[in-house]
Amino acid sequence: METDLRVEGGSMIRVAVLAVGEMPAAQLRDYVSMLVQHTRISLASVNPYYTEHQKSPFALQPWESGSLLLKFLVGGAAKSPWEDFQAQRKILGVIGLCHCPLSPDLGSAYEQFLSMCRAYPSAQVTRCFAFHPTQAQMRQDDEKKKEFLVMFPSTDRQNLEFHMQTLMRDFAASLLMAFESWVLHLKPAGLTTPLDSQTSLNSDEVNKKRKLGRVQKTIGDYCLLACSPSDANAHYATAIELARLTADLLWHAGAIEGHVCALVLEPSGMKDELLEQEVQFLYMEAIQLYRRATALSFELESTLKLARFLCSRKELARDVVDLVVGAVEGSKTLMDANDRLVVNVEAAGIFGALGYERKAAFYARQVALLYKQQNSHWAAVSSLQVMSVCAHYYRCEMKSSNSLVDGQDKQGGEWSTLQMDVLMDMLAAAVRAGDAMAAWSAAAQLLRHHYPLITPHSQLGLANALSMAAHRLPSGTRSSYAVLPFVRLHSYPPMPAEREIVKRTTDKEWWMGPASSGPFIYTPFIAKGDSNEKLPVIWVVGEPVEVLVELANPCAFEVFVESISLSVEHGHFDAFTVSVTLPPSAGQLLSLSGMPLSVGTLMIRGCIVKCFGMITEHLFEDVVEGKMVKGTVLVDPFKSWHRVHHAALSNKVEVVQPLPLLVARVVGGEGAAVLYEGEIREVQISLSNAGVVPVVEAHLALTGKQQQNVVSIGHSILEDALPLLPGATIVVPVVLKAGSPTPEPDLRVNTVKPSNDVASPMLVIHYAGPLSQEGEEVSPGRRVALPLQLHVQRGLCLVQARLLSMEVAANISSAIVEPICSKDAAAENGESLVKMDPYRGSWGLRLLELELWNTTDVLFEITVSRKDGSESEKLAEDGECLYPRTRIERDYSACVLIQLERFKLAGLDKASLARASVRKDALSKQYAMSKDVADREAKAELNSAIEELSSRICVKWHSGRNSAGVLPIKDALREALQASALKILLPDPLTFGFRLVKTSATQNSTCEDTSPESYPNPHRVGLSKVEAEEDSAVTKSKGGGGIAVRELALIEMLVRNNTSEAMKMTLSVTCRDVAGTSCLGAIGSKPTVLWAGTLDGMEVEVGAVGEVVHRFALCFLVPGQYTLLGAAVIQSQTSHDSLCYNGPPFAVLVAGAS
Amino acid sequence: MASTACFVIVSRNDCPIYESEVGTAPKKDEAAHLHQFILHASLDIVQDVVWTTNAMYLKLVDKFNDLLVSVYVTADTHTRLMLLHDSRNEDGIKNFFQEVHELYIKMLLNPLYVPGSRITSPFFDTRVRTLARKYL
């Protein structure tokens, strides 16, 4: 059987094309391509070369419209036993092709050609075309006569083609003339077929008629070949008649076939439908005849011819399918495997022509399987070729390069079972054919696209097949089929903090970012962070970049990726390779780096992967398109990974001109400054330009937490240094002030890098190179962030702060000095450390005690000062000099006393005064003003005073040579003051006072000696000092308070009720000497003081805000200092408890008799 | 008598969503997927035949050697129920198709089933096999 079966096949003239001499394949292909342009040569063009030697048997030849059809059989063909039966099966012409440069001896080449021609006895015309002859060969040609040798001059291809055209016309004309002569000299004797063995049984007459019929049929065949269908029809009609008469079934059928061929070729005006019906009818008859003649292959051939003829009409598809399916079924009984193959090939071809791709693919696969059954290398190669053709129809190819096919793929289904089967067959065929590349591709596709359906064992087998195939290929071979691992783009990690790129606009302050577009300060859409995704990725020429890709190995074996690097489209890119091993069924996030080398837009297409010995390109888009659909099973090789929003990731990257690169660093220290609480220190920050472009703009800013720790930044130094040329360095000072101590870092968690510490303030420097020329896009700026790492250690700590009131006993005198006077006096003689009036006690004197503890291992020196205030700068300076430094050794604590009077606490003074006046008013006007209001007012005043006080007190410290600071004790101070001030400042319910009553004294003022501040206080700090000074004060005093010894002194005790209700109480007076023993009460002992009046158990009732005066007289027998103390026991009416109050001590100085 | 039967449901985008060998003949290795190949190839013919009739049951549409292909097309989504068989039991096949179609509709009613995706329900599989035993 033959391939390419067509109804019109009867008109094809077969010409064998043979290579003569040495012929490289490329040359042969080139020459053949020239030759095959001339498969159809019109009779009109043949005419000039045609000479009619005798009367032509083809009387009705259409010289105007007809053409000769040539069928070139490159390499020739074997002789068919059916040549006599069908003339078109004969090789009627031979063309030899000779490449002269490789066949120097043209003579021997020609000899070779002649010998080759001898294999084709049926050849009527032979030619040997010699291309590109040398001069010597052309001369050699002259010497000897070589009839059929044609030399082509060495010219360009166009000329060659022209020569070829001429020669082919001549060749066709020769063929035509040969046919004529052959028909004219045809002898009926030799026309036999292999089926004719039993013809001898028939009678002679029948034989004769048969021979006649056969001759007629053969003449008809030649008429067809000579393109004269009308002549052919006439001969076929006779032949059919004779064959029917003689029951020559085979020849009858052959004649009918020839007749159909002539009908189809004849340009008679038969309508298509009629012609089809005619053809169908005639062919059915022919098929029946062949069947009766038991010529199965002819039966199948004609069936297929008919099917091929009908498949041009879509309506008849059903008939065609029936015909083809019948033919294929019939081919089962064919003896020759090749014939079976041919039937399948034809079936595939017909279905393909019909548009039934899947059917075609099915039969193509059958062909491949038939090839596979033939146990030879060539069969395996053919099988592989056919398989790869039909693999296309089973959508096995997943190459994204041919996007057209991909587009269909979305529509067309993928029947993964079949795809796998086809690929497996391809792999087997490729292994058998020794095509390592094809084997690799098939195995690669199987693994990549069908891994979920392949058992782990088979996966391992495929991996081995891959390695084996790669082993046979030269190393570094590239393949278009990606295997493992699956690669997808994960993200573009931001530039490292020191090289961060910021979009720069033409605005002056581009680092501020775009202004808010809406009326709202806070826009939730911005806060959501999706603006982050839209940021274009910008890379800088010559700076290394990084891309994160996800690798996944879903298979059950370990994948060793020899090298993987980024693959980039448009633009130069230096990709760095890495190698990685992926464990079974695992994924990995891999950082791939590279360096862009040119400005422009880069497209990160995928990765170049060398795996299983082959270099392949893995495109991101192959995987990114969601999950891969495999036979409608959703399979995601990255299933073990979290979902990443890929839509936002574009693989386009902008590469910009080189930018300046500032390197910021803290001079000295390793990035972290260890400070004590409250320490002030200047840090030097060095900025150097490591880029190749000068820094033209720069801006320093602070971000992050604890910005209050930075006191000042040397903005001006940086601005003065601009432009900062490449390689230049400047140093910018930054003054830091340590705030509260940072918590100790947890040493167990050692993974967090210190630079990521968000607690420290960040010094952010925005900078940019020169603006580009007009019209160009503004080159982006950069940002470098330098964390100013502060580690604040606890330095001195305030243990407690207390407000103390000095308690010094007041001298008893007949008169009392008004507070204002005392204050004036204090202001006048301001040199002494403590101001006090001996007749008033410690009125108005308060001390602030700070107890500080040194927890560190260094020595601290403390200086207390007042912060610069507008009012009393001078006093502040005084304070500096007045209070000497206090040294606190390590692990020691010390108390620092601060005299509050020095601080001119006007608020506090005023508050107390106000209170005093209120009280006075209350005394005089009796409830003129409500006490509550006064209290509230006083409290507010007190609070503001404390606030002011605490903010003014400044405790500076020095430690070592260069660390100094201020203790941040404001809050602690305020709390302490509030706690103790309330205790001090709140009035007691009772006020005691003593005064001498002298006959000379006319003054009758009330004893208003005390302000509430001087009421008892448990602390008696500094008492001795005060007493020491008292003496001098006494000697100087001219207030007349002296009491002579042995003289009866009349003393009044004033007890005032400060509360708003009447009280019953029992008063008593005690007198103590210097030693503290009571001078009065000791009965039986020798008294040193005699008294008159009651001193004990005086029951009085004092009204609300009332006053009682109790008089008594004392006679001191011994000179010295005595102390008078009043006491009251208040009887509560409701409960029978009694409250005891002690008044403050009053000093009585008893002078000697002298 | 051992019979060969291969039943496949093909979704509208030509993907098989259900496939099972429901025949009683022992499975041969060399023709591992031959049945599916035949069914796949006959899709071409089915897409032509669909336009020639109103019926959902397309009867015999294709054959390969002694294996016959009968097809039933659902009205909704052009889902094709394809049966490869070697016995000429047209009534049984028709009934089989109708029952399986009902099953398939029940499947579609399942809100968790995405039309066009692979049918993985073991219940469906069991029922189809039962029907095959009953009718084929």
Side-chain angles (χ1 to χ4, degrees), chain A residues 1014-1032:
Chain A
S1014 62
Y1015 281 121
N1017 192 298
H1019 308 286
R1020 290 166 187 268
V1021 182
L1023 185 64
S1024 58
K1025 194 177 175 188
V1026 175
E1027 280 180 352
E1029 291 198 8
E1030 202 176 347
D1031 284 346
S1032 61

Side-chain angles (χ1 to χ4, degrees), chain A residues 332 356 358-359 413 415 421, chain B residues 13-14 33 36 44 48 62:
Chain A
K332 292 280 172 205
Y356 287 177
R358 285 168 282 201
K359 269 274 188 221
W415 202 310
D421 208 81
Chain B
N13 54 0
D14 289 353
H33 299 117
Q36 292 196 28
D44 272 328
D48 277 359
D62 197 10

Side-chain angles (χ1 to χ4, degrees), chain A residues 785-1103:
Chain A
L786 181 73
L788 294 174
Q789 284 193 57
L790 300 175
H791 184 72
V792 182
Q793 280 186 345
R794 182 167 278 281
L796 287 178
C797 61
L798 180 71
V799 178
Q800 63 175 356
R802 282 178 308 200
L803 198 60
L804 302 180
S805 74
M806 277 306 293
E807 189 174 274
V808 180
N811 282 4
I812 291 181
S813 62
S814 54
I816 213 82
V817 195
E818 281 298 305
I820 314 250
C821 305
S822 107
K823 205 171 170 192
D824 287 343
E828 276 161 22
N829 46 10
E831 274 92 56
S832 73
L833 198 61
V834 177
K835 314 292 169 301
M836 75 182 302
D837 186 338
Y839 298 99
R840 288 188 55 246
S842 57
W843 183 89
L845 177 70
R846 285 171 298 275
L847 290 172
L848 182 67
E849 183 202 51
L850 300 178
E851 190 177 348
L852 297 169
W853 181 39
N854 184 357
T855 55
T856 64
D857 49 2
V858 288
L859 182 137
F860 278 88
E861 284 191 341
I862 301 293
T863 318
V864 179
S865 69
R866 195 191 56 77
K867 268 190 202 162
D868 289 345
S870 55
E871 292 173 20
S872 46
E873 200 148 329
K874 189 169 139 261
L875 281 171
E877 280 162 17
D878 282 351
E880 288 273 359
C881 62
L882 278 171
Y883 293 104
R885 289 185 169 183
T886 313
R887 287 166 65 94
I888 309 179
E889 296 284 344
R890 47 180 288 196
D891 289 335
Y892 275 83
S893 64
C895 290
V896 180
L897 280 174
I898 306 166
Q899 187 192 350
L900 289 192
E901 210 176 29
R902 300 289 310 166
F903 294 102
K904 276 275 185 188
L905 294 177
L908 201 55
D909 285 348
K910 228 184 337 179
S912 59
L913 280 178
R915 206 122 35 115
S917 63
V918 163
R919 201 173 299 135
K920 259 185 194 168
D921 289 349
L923 278 172
S924 55
K925 293 176 188 170
Q926 297 284 327
Y927 311 108
M929 194 186 276
S930 134
K931 197 178 175 235
D932 278 355
V933 174
D935 263 2
R936 214 180 301 142
E937 205 172 275
K939 226 173 205 173
E941 293 241 24
L942 176 71
N943 278 344
S944 70
I946 286 170
E947 185 72 34
E948 194 186 346
L949 168 70
S950 57
S951 65
R952 277 193 183 185
I953 290 170
C954 176
V955 180
K956 285 187 180 167
W957 56 262
H958 292 267
S959 173
R961 196 173 294 167
N962 54 4
S963 82
V966 177
L967 274 189
I969 54 169
K970 186 180 158 186
D971 290 344
L973 206 57
R974 189 173 56 225
E975 270 175 40
L977 281 176
Q978 251 157 1
S980 52
L982 280 176
K983 205 187 279 176
I984 296 172
L985 300 184
L986 277 181
D988 273 345
L990 292 177
T991 310
F992 291 88
F994 290 92
R995 73 174 166 204
L996 285 175
V997 182
K998 286 194 175 170
T999 47
S1000 58
T1002 51
Q1003 202 177 356
N1004 199 17
S1005 65
T1006 55
C1007 181
E1008 189 60 42
D1009 69 318
T1010 51
S1011 70
E1013 289 83 1
S1014 62
Y1015 281 121
N1017 192 298
H1019 308 286
R1020 290 166 187 268
V1021 182
L1023 185 64
S1024 58
K1025 194 177 175 188
V1026 175
E1027 280 180 352
E1029 291 198 8
E1030 202 176 347
D1031 284 346
S1032 61
V1034 166
T1035 50
K1036 278 187 217 157
S1037 70
K1038 45 196 185 287
I1043 299 170
V1045 80
R1046 293 197 190 103
E1047 186 180 305
L1048 193 69
L1050 201 62
I1051 296 173
E1052 280 183 346
M1053 181 173 74
L1054 285 91
V1055 177
R1056 193 170 65 216
N1057 182 3
N1058 290 331
T1059 59
S1060 54
E1061 53 197 57
M1063 267 193 261
K1064 262 186 172 177
M1065 64 185 90
T1066 313
L1067 295 173
S1068 61
V1069 177
T1070 48
C1071 180
R1072 296 173 193 274
D1073 60 9
V1074 181
T1077 51
S1078 175
C1079 314
L1080 302 171
I1083 298 163
S1085 63
K1086 193 180 170 189
T1088 50
V1089 180
L1090 304 174
W1091 71 93
T1094 40
L1095 289 183
D1096 210 0
M1098 298 157 290
E1099 297 216 353
V1100 289
E1101 186 168 346
V1102 189

Side-chain angles (χ1 to χ4, degrees), chain A residues 391-532:
Chain A
H392 171 74
Y393 291 106
Y394 285 108
R395 319 253 186 251
C396 290
E397 290 170 79
M398 295 291 176
K399 282 167 74 177
S400 55
S401 52
N402 42 4
S403 51
L404 257 174
V405 177
D406 268 10
Q408 293 166 359
D409 269 359
K410 297 281 173 289
Q411 311 279 316
E414 291 181 354
W415 202 310
S416 47
T417 324
L418 308 187
Q419 288 173 344
M420 274 175 64
D421 208 81
V422 168
L423 285 172
M424 283 290 193
D425 283 344
M426 278 177 77
L427 178 59
V431 168
R432 197 182 290 181
D435 188 343
M437 191 71 192
W440 201 90
S441 305
Q445 290 183 70
L446 267 175
L447 259 187
R448 185 169 177 90
H449 302 298
H450 303 281
Y451 67 89
L453 304 172
I454 303 176
T455 58
H457 184 73
S458 310
Q459 284 180 2
L460 206 60
L462 285 173
N464 284 337
L466 281 173
S467 312
M468 298 252 288
H471 198 65
R472 295 180 54 183
L473 288 166
S475 78
T477 313
R478 285 174 172 264
S479 168
S480 50
Y481 298 98
V483 204
L484 295 170
F486 290 90
V487 179
R488 93 177 156 182
L489 184 60
H490 181 266
S491 63
Y492 298 100
M495 286 267 186
E498 63 267 18
R499 292 196 279 127
E500 205 172 336
I501 290 177
V502 182
K503 191 166 165 50
R504 180 199 197 186
T505 56
T506 45
D507 297 350
K508 186 125 181 71
E509 299 203 324
W510 48 269
W511 48 80
M512 298 301 285
S516 174
S517 52
F520 306 109
I521 296 169
Y522 169 79
T523 318
F525 304 109
I526 292 172
K528 255 189 173 175
D530 45 7
S531 59
N532 189 31

Side-chain angles (χ1 to χ4, degrees), chain A residues 692-751:
Chain A
V692 292
V693 179
V695 178
V696 172
E697 286 180 77
H699 175 253
L700 276 169
L702 267 184
T703 58
K705 293 177 179 170
Q706 306 199 354
Q707 289 187 26
Q708 72 278 6
N709 286 349
V710 179
V711 176
S712 74
I713 303 171
H715 289 286
S716 58
I717 294 174
L718 179 62
E719 275 160 28
D720 292 346
L722 292 177
L724 198 62
L725 294 174
T729 302
I730 57 161
V731 174
V732 179
V734 171
V735 179
L736 298 178
K737 183 187 175 196
S740 55
T742 45
E744 284 297 316
D746 194 351
L747 292 175
R748 286 167 301 176
V749 189
N750 210 11
T751 51

